[in-house]
Amino acid sequence: MDIGIVGGGINGLCCAWALVQDGHHVTLFERDRIMQATSRASSKLLHGGIRYLENGQFRLVREALYERDAWLSMVPHLAEPLPIIYPKFLNGKRSRLTLDMGFRLYGLLSGSSTLPSSAWLTNNEVHEKIPELNITGLQGGYRYYDVQMDDYLLGNWVAEQCRSLGVQIIEQTPVRSVSAQGTLILADGTEKRFERVVNVAGPWAEKLLIGSKIPSRYHLDLVRGSHLIIARSCSHALILEVPDERRIFFVLPWKGKTLLGTTEVRQQLDDAIECSQKETQYLIEAYNHYFISQISDVDVVDTFVGLRPLLRSAANPGKASREYAIQKNGKLVTVFGGKWTTSRALANKVQASITIPMQSHFR
Ligand SMILES: Cc1cc2nc3c(=O)[nH]c(=O)nc-3n(C[C@H](O)[C@H](O)[C@H](O)COP(=O)(O)OP(=O)(O)OC[C@H]3O[C@@H](n4cnc5c(N)ncnc54)[C@H](O)[C@@H]3O)c2cc1C
């Protein structure tokens, strides 16, 4: 089949990759450059998402853990195991029992993963690994493993696989509208006809659908996440509770510096996608709460920001999930949501929805 894809983020690229491997002729249209939007602004983790266990997102976590390991074995030159410590403090929001159950479940859902299992570390062991941590109230911590990658390089590696199999990637070509009949109208008015069209425009997918006068069964909540790069090295990756909140944030080693993130700020699609001064202060204060040597604005050498396309739950519209959904309208397939880690799994479902005449949507 002749298939047109809209969106050159990781989800669009993985869809192109899966479909070309299935023998289809694929053309991908990207408004700007590939891998320049959300997919380049991630926390650089291929992970199950330990925190989603608290929301009962077991299916997603299990799939993501499987995908984490699949990426690691496929591209060991672009991804590496990352030990992360969750220090337990006296005033922390989660009890030792909660953490214990969470990490055990994470391990169970990892199945036959080759990554080491999680382990409880004593106060001294945590301190030895992170001497710069302020240990007041420290009661020990869990060490577990996920995987770190360079999102931009890995996305471009996927793009290379696509190109080598014959996918035509057309950049700087915005798509104005799509149709259930398989047409695409480009911004310059040119009409392109395909046997199938896949709308994988990430945070912009719902807008493209609505702009094309096609009703959207799903809705996206757009939640900005900012990261700071701090000009100091980081001895060990940490997952920490934001003081007085249940939210967690990461402190990660990143190319000889420290990556701090992230925030969660709901916004509209038309608002600027940039790190506000308030978010910068929020992350700096959270970091300073835990470290002996304090940082300020002057230590921030870079920031990067992305907009999470989160699927709004139909049952509970106030609750957004990291799950993804696929909607079919005739020859058009639209993807809502989807994490970096699960992009291959999502692409396989898109491929199945195109190949097999199945139910019109599934998660
Ligand atoms: C702060 C933050 C941290 C995150 N951390 C992680 C993490 O550590 N691990 C993880 O697994 N996930 C993480 N995620 C989630 C993950 O990054 C995203 O869910 C994923 O990158 C979305 O990819 P995408 O391809 O759907 O969207 P995008 O990467 O945004 O790609 C969509 C593309 O469509 C293009 N486009 C839009 N409209 C049009 C149009 N009309 N015509 C042509 N092209 C168009 C855009 O230019 C864009 O390039 C994070 C997200 C955020 C925001």
Side-chain angles (χ1 to χ4, degrees), residues 320-335:
S321 131
R322 260 67 175 179
E323 279 284 3
Y324 51 83
I326 294 169
Q327 172 175 327
K328 278 180 86 172
N329 299 85
K331 295 180 177 173
L332 173 69
V333 174
T334 298
V335 170

Side-chain angles (χ1 to χ4, degrees), residues 20 36 40 96 205 302 363:
V20 75
Q36 49 65 47
R40 195 185 185 168
R96 169 91 192 257
D302 200 3
R363 287 187 202 175

Side-chain angles (χ1 to χ4, degrees), residues 6-12 29-33 36-39 41-45 47 173-175 200-204 208 225 227 262 306-309 338-341:
V6 188
I10 193 57
N11 284 318
F29 298 89
E30 165 54 47
R31 181 177 62 184
D32 299 317
R33 293 278 179 200
Q36 49 65 47
T38 326
S39 301
S42 80
S43 301
K44 327 293 181 200
L45 294 174
H47 63 159
T173 306
V175 171
V200 213
W204 298 272
L208 181 59
H227 295 89
T262 170
L307 213 47
R308 298 177 185 87
K339 286 187 63 65
W340 217 111
T341 310

